[in-house]
Amino acid sequence: MSTNYPPSLSSSQAPTLTPSTAPSTASTYPNPSPLSSSHIPPTKTPTNTSNPFLFPSSYSFPPFFTRQPNTSTHHAQLQKWSSLIQAYCRHHRLFKLSLTDSLDSELFYNKRIGKRLGREDAREVVEFMRREGRAEWVGDEKGKGRGSGEGGEFWVWWRNVEEWAGLIADWVDETAQKNTVLTLYELTESEATLSQEFHGMDPELLQKALSVLVKRGKAQVFGQEDQQGVKFF
C-alpha cells in the first residue's frame, strides 16, 4: 500500500467529495514509514507538541468521517484512515491506542467542522489495518481480530516488530555496544536514544522486539520485570 495520502476520497466510480468551508488544518502530510516491520499509554497526550502534526486535506472533508456507500470510494476511505493513523502515531511516538479514548481525540474528532468518526466505523478502520498487517488488537496474538473488544487497545504498526528489532540492533552496532549489558531503561528512556524512533517505546513492544533478536541469536535478556537487562552479540 502506498503511504501517499491523496487529497480527496473521490474515485472514478463515485461523486467527488466536497470540502468543508472550514480551512484545512494542514497543507502537507507526513508519510508513514514503509511497513515491513510500539511507551506511551493510550490516554496520555501526545508528547511532540513543539512540532504539531499536520493533518491532510481530507481531514477537513465532512464525508471523510462518514462511511461511504460506494465500494471503491469506501476502500479508498479506509486506506486514507490507515495512512492517517500511522502517520499520526509515528509523529507523536505512539505505539498503542485505545479505541474508546481515541474517539474523543483530535485523531478521530475534527472539532473545527464538528465531525467525528463513529465507534463502529473506527473499529472497521482498525480491522482493515489488522488485515493489512498495520494494526493488531492487544491480546490478539493469533491475528484473528479477537482482541480486547469494542473499547480495547490496539497496536499501530507504523513499524512492525521485526523492523523495530532491526533498528535496535543497528543502533547497538553504530554505538559499538555489542557484548555490553544495557538496561531496558537505557534502551528506551535514556538521553542516548533520544534521536531514535524506539525512544519511549511501550515496554511490551520492546519485549517483542528483543524476543526477535534473542531468537536470531543476537541478544540475551537477563533478570525479571523492571530489573531486566539485555546483552547484544
Short mmCIF file of all heavy atoms in Angstrom, two decimals, residues 182-186 188-189 203 206-207 221-230:
data_model
loop_
_atom_site.label_atom_id
_atom_site.label_comp_id
_atom_site.label_asym_id
_atom_site.label_seq_id
_atom_site.Cartn_x
_atom_site.Cartn_y
_atom_site.Cartn_z
N LEU A 182 22.98 -3.68 28.71
CA LEU A 182 22.23 -2.44 28.84
C LEU A 182 20.92 -2.73 29.56
O LEU A 182 20.32 -3.78 29.37
CB LEU A 182 21.93 -1.85 27.47
CG LEU A 182 23.11 -1.49 26.58
CD1 LEU A 182 22.63 -1.10 25.18
CD2 LEU A 182 23.92 -0.36 27.19
N THR A 183 20.46 -1.78 30.36
CA THR A 183 19.15 -1.94 30.98
C THR A 183 18.09 -1.56 29.96
O THR A 183 18.36 -0.85 28.99
CB THR A 183 19.01 -1.05 32.21
OG1 THR A 183 19.05 0.34 31.81
CG2 THR A 183 20.13 -1.32 33.22
N LEU A 184 16.87 -2.02 30.18
CA LEU A 184 15.79 -1.66 29.27
C LEU A 184 15.53 -0.16 29.33
O LEU A 184 15.14 0.44 28.32
CB LEU A 184 14.52 -2.45 29.61
CG LEU A 184 14.65 -3.98 29.59
CD1 LEU A 184 13.27 -4.63 29.63
CD2 LEU A 184 15.42 -4.45 28.37
N TYR A 185 15.75 0.43 30.49
CA TYR A 185 15.60 1.88 30.64
C TYR A 185 16.58 2.61 29.73
O TYR A 185 16.22 3.59 29.05
CB TYR A 185 15.84 2.30 32.09
CG TYR A 185 15.78 3.81 32.30
CD1 TYR A 185 14.56 4.44 32.57
CD2 TYR A 185 16.93 4.59 32.20
CE1 TYR A 185 14.50 5.82 32.75
CE2 TYR A 185 16.88 5.97 32.37
CZ TYR A 185 15.66 6.57 32.65
OH TYR A 185 15.60 7.94 32.81
N GLU A 186 17.82 2.14 29.69
CA GLU A 186 18.81 2.78 28.84
C GLU A 186 18.42 2.70 27.37
O GLU A 186 18.71 3.62 26.59
CB GLU A 186 20.18 2.12 29.04
CG GLU A 186 20.83 2.45 30.37
CD GLU A 186 22.13 1.71 30.58
OE1 GLU A 186 22.13 0.47 30.47
OE2 GLU A 186 23.16 2.38 30.85
N THR A 188 15.31 2.65 26.03
CA THR A 188 14.13 3.40 25.60
C THR A 188 13.90 4.74 26.30
O THR A 188 13.07 5.52 25.85
CB THR A 188 12.86 2.56 25.77
OG1 THR A 188 12.69 2.23 27.16
CG2 THR A 188 12.95 1.26 24.97
N GLU A 189 14.61 5.01 27.40
CA GLU A 189 14.32 6.23 28.15
C GLU A 189 15.53 7.15 28.35
O GLU A 189 15.38 8.28 28.80
CB GLU A 189 13.74 5.88 29.53
CG GLU A 189 12.48 5.04 29.48
CD GLU A 189 11.31 5.76 28.84
OE1 GLU A 189 11.32 7.01 28.79
OE2 GLU A 189 10.39 5.08 28.35
N PRO A 203 6.87 -0.82 26.80
CA PRO A 203 7.65 -1.95 27.32
C PRO A 203 7.26 -3.29 26.73
O PRO A 203 8.12 -4.15 26.48
CB PRO A 203 7.36 -1.91 28.83
CG PRO A 203 7.03 -0.49 29.11
CD PRO A 203 6.29 -0.01 27.90
N LEU A 206 8.76 -3.49 23.33
CA LEU A 206 10.20 -3.69 23.47
C LEU A 206 10.51 -5.16 23.70
O LEU A 206 11.44 -5.72 23.11
CB LEU A 206 10.76 -2.83 24.60
CG LEU A 206 12.26 -3.01 24.91
CD1 LEU A 206 13.11 -2.67 23.68
CD2 LEU A 206 12.66 -2.16 26.11
N GLN A 207 9.73 -5.80 24.56
CA GLN A 207 9.94 -7.22 24.82
C GLN A 207 9.74 -8.04 23.55
O GLN A 207 10.47 -9.00 23.29
CB GLN A 207 8.96 -7.70 25.91
CG GLN A 207 9.21 -7.12 27.29
CD GLN A 207 10.45 -7.70 27.97
OE1 GLN A 207 11.08 -8.61 27.45
NE2 GLN A 207 10.78 -7.18 29.13
N VAL A 221 18.49 -11.74 27.20
CA VAL A 221 17.83 -10.92 28.21
C VAL A 221 18.07 -11.53 29.59
O VAL A 221 17.94 -12.74 29.79
CB VAL A 221 16.32 -10.80 27.93
CG1 VAL A 221 15.62 -10.00 29.02
CG2 VAL A 221 16.08 -10.15 26.56
N PHE A 222 18.43 -10.67 30.56
CA PHE A 222 18.71 -11.11 31.93
C PHE A 222 17.69 -10.49 32.88
O PHE A 222 17.13 -9.43 32.62
CB PHE A 222 20.10 -10.66 32.37
CG PHE A 222 21.21 -11.17 31.50
CD1 PHE A 222 21.63 -10.44 30.39
CD2 PHE A 222 21.86 -12.35 31.79
CE1 PHE A 222 22.67 -10.89 29.59
CE2 PHE A 222 22.90 -12.82 31.00
CZ PHE A 222 23.29 -12.09 29.90
N GLY A 223 17.49 -11.14 34.04
CA GLY A 223 16.67 -10.57 35.10
C GLY A 223 15.19 -10.73 34.85
O GLY A 223 14.74 -11.40 33.92
N GLN A 224 14.40 -10.06 35.70
CA GLN A 224 12.96 -10.16 35.62
C GLN A 224 12.32 -8.78 35.73
O GLN A 224 12.82 -7.91 36.44
CB GLN A 224 12.40 -11.06 36.74
CG GLN A 224 12.87 -12.51 36.63
CD GLN A 224 12.32 -13.37 37.75
OE1 GLN A 224 11.79 -12.85 38.73
NE2 GLN A 224 12.44 -14.68 37.60
N GLU A 225 11.23 -8.60 35.03
CA GLU A 225 10.41 -7.39 35.06
C GLU A 225 11.25 -6.13 34.95
O GLU A 225 12.03 -5.98 34.01
CB GLU A 225 9.54 -7.39 36.32
CG GLU A 225 8.58 -8.58 36.36
CD GLU A 225 7.71 -8.59 37.60
OE1 GLU A 225 7.89 -7.73 38.47
OE2 GLU A 225 6.83 -9.46 37.67
N ASP A 226 11.12 -5.19 35.93
CA ASP A 226 11.80 -3.90 35.79
C ASP A 226 13.28 -3.97 36.09
O ASP A 226 13.98 -2.97 36.03
CB ASP A 226 11.13 -2.85 36.68
CG ASP A 226 11.14 -3.24 38.15
OD1 ASP A 226 11.39 -4.43 38.45
OD2 ASP A 226 10.87 -2.36 38.99
N GLN A 227 13.79 -5.14 36.42
CA GLN A 227 15.21 -5.32 36.70
C GLN A 227 15.94 -5.96 35.52
O GLN A 227 17.06 -6.44 35.66
CB GLN A 227 15.39 -6.18 37.95
CG GLN A 227 14.76 -5.61 39.21
CD GLN A 227 15.33 -4.26 39.58
OE1 GLN A 227 16.55 -4.05 39.50
NE2 GLN A 227 14.47 -3.31 39.97
N GLN A 228 15.30 -5.98 34.37
CA GLN A 228 15.88 -6.66 33.23
C GLN A 228 16.98 -5.87 32.55
O GLN A 228 16.97 -4.64 32.52
CB GLN A 228 14.80 -7.00 32.20
CG GLN A 228 13.90 -8.15 32.59
CD GLN A 228 12.95 -8.53 31.48
OE1 GLN A 228 12.48 -7.67 30.75
NE2 GLN A 228 12.65 -9.82 31.36
N GLY A 229 17.93 -6.62 32.00
CA GLY A 229 18.98 -6.06 31.18
C GLY A 229 19.11 -6.91 29.95
O GLY A 229 18.56 -8.03 29.89
N VAL A 230 19.82 -6.43 28.94
CA VAL A 230 19.99 -7.19 27.71
C VAL A 230 21.42 -7.03 27.21
O VAL A 230 22.01 -5.95 27.27
CB VAL A 230 18.97 -6.72 26.63
CG1 VAL A 230 19.10 -5.23 26.37
CG2 VAL A 230 19.15 -7.52 25.36
#
